[in-house]
Amino acid sequence: MTRELRRWHRWSTVAILAFSVGSSLVGLLRPGHYRAPPDIALSYQIQDLTVLLVGVPVLAVGLWSAARGSPRGRLVWLGGMAFMTYIWASAAIQIPYNELFLVYVALFGLSLFTFVGGMWSTDPERIRRRLEGRVDPALYAGALFVVGLGLAALWLSDILPALLQGTTPTIVEESGPQALTSHVVDLGVVVPSILLAAVWLYRRRTWGYVLAGVVLILGATLAAPIGLMTLVLLTGETVTVSPVAAFFTFLPIVVSALLAVAYVRSMSGSGGIPGDGEGAQST
């Protein structure tokens, strides 16, 4: 395994950064780009803004640092790539059709394959060595378990009552079937990943240290768009968001953000993210 990123990882990440900036600017600056009710359109623009202010900087810093061989930078890069995969999958499925539909699909596919390739080529032992003895696996595993169950409970609270009563979930009646995109992605991918990371980390498996860092950074980068979009929906009239649902929306992202910062800081060596004392060399 190489300490530095492979060449195609670098070029695909640069392409993701460029197209993410371009599509987000179009969403923010082009009048009427989002063909949706005002509250929903505003939430899409908030997502564009947070991609520019959070997602792009995190991925760019992670790319620069990981390219220099930093294990901490590689974890940040993987977390940023997971964020891009999540965001553009949601955009491609959820946003009403517009001229950038194929761009959303391309960004999702490129992000997904780059993320998978990055995980496949990661040396988990290097990351474990940086974290072992510096983090409490039981503490982080317990927090991840709570976050995963809380997220599952949040989305199931929309679905299970409707299933038991034989009705349509309120969110679908208010916003249409595309409103369940987050339910699909979170319940199908994110929640299982969080719970798997918790179990592996608790058992001190090597890949548990990597996966835990990735899902924590994903949660931290999603904190801004999810939090702001929830506030927009709370103050709008299009979608009903109960106080309980809002609480269980904010709790996981706040916890993930705090834990992610602590987790990444625990990997600090003789320097900051850019080198970690190892970035100048490769094997």
Side-chain angles (χ1 to χ4, degrees):
M1 297 236 179
T2 60
R3 291 185 177 181
E4 297 180 357
L5 293 182
R6 294 177 178 175
R7 180 176 297 178
W8 77 268
H9 291 155
R10 304 184 194 189
W11 284 111
S12 62
T13 304
V14 170
I16 291 166
L17 289 168
F19 281 106
S20 294
V21 170
S23 61
S24 296
L25 287 175
V26 170
L28 287 170
L29 301 178
R30 183 189 181 199
H33 178 70
Y34 294 118
R35 300 156 187 168
D39 294 343
I40 304 299
L42 179 58
S43 70
Y44 295 151
Q45 290 183 314
I46 288 173
Q47 178 172 288
D48 287 329
L49 184 63
T50 54
V51 165
L52 291 174
L53 298 182
V54 180
V56 167
V58 167
L59 185 59
V61 170
L63 170 65
W64 180 67
S65 180
R68 293 163 58 88
S70 163
R72 182 158 64 146
R74 191 177 190 96
L75 200 59
V76 172
W77 174 72
L78 287 170
M81 196 59 65
F83 169 83
M84 290 298 186
T85 303
Y86 183 102
I87 286 293
W88 296 119
S90 299
I93 299 171
Q94 189 174 43
I95 293 176
Y97 177 82
N98 61 43
E99 291 79 0
L100 291 185
F101 172 73
L102 290 179
V103 176
Y104 301 149
V105 174
L107 278 166
F108 163 58
L110 193 57
S111 299
L112 175 62
F113 282 102
T114 305
F115 173 71
V116 172
M119 289 289 286
W120 181 263
S121 61
T122 292
D123 181 359
E125 285 291 346
R126 294 187 69 223
I127 292 176
R128 175 175 181 159
R129 287 196 298 269
R130 278 305 180 98
L131 289 164
E132 208 165 24
R134 299 185 179 189
V135 298
D136 183 349
L139 174 63
Y140 279 91
L144 285 171
F145 194 71
V146 170
V147 168
L149 289 183
L151 187 58
L154 170 65
W155 294 139
L156 290 175
S157 68
D158 286 335
I159 305 300
L160 291 182
L163 285 175
L164 294 175
Q165 298 168 14
T167 59
T168 302
T170 303
I171 191 171
V172 174
E173 293 179 345
E174 295 177 337
S175 302
Q178 74 277 2
L180 293 180
T181 300
S182 295
H183 298 63
V184 174
V185 177
D186 288 352
L187 291 174
V189 180
V190 176
V191 169
S193 298
I194 293 173
L195 297 180
L196 182 62
V199 172
W200 280 359
L201 187 61
Y202 181 76
R203 294 180 177 177
R204 291 168 172 76
R205 292 190 179 182
T206 301
W207 274 105
Y209 289 87
V210 179
L211 188 55
V214 171
V215 297
L216 285 172
I217 294 169
L218 171 62
T221 49
L222 286 174
I226 292 177
L228 291 174
M229 284 189 286
T230 301
L231 287 175
V232 168
L233 296 178
L234 276 170
T235 57
E237 299 179 353
T238 304
V239 178
T240 302
V241 180
S242 69
V244 173
F247 174 79
F248 281 104
T249 298
F250 286 113
L251 180 62
I253 60 177
V254 170
V255 171
S256 295
L258 294 175
L259 290 177
V261 172
Y263 200 82
V264 172
R265 285 175 61 88
S266 297
M267 296 182 71
S268 60
S270 58
I273 283 184
D276 286 72
E278 301 179 3
Q281 299 178 355
S282 63
T283 58

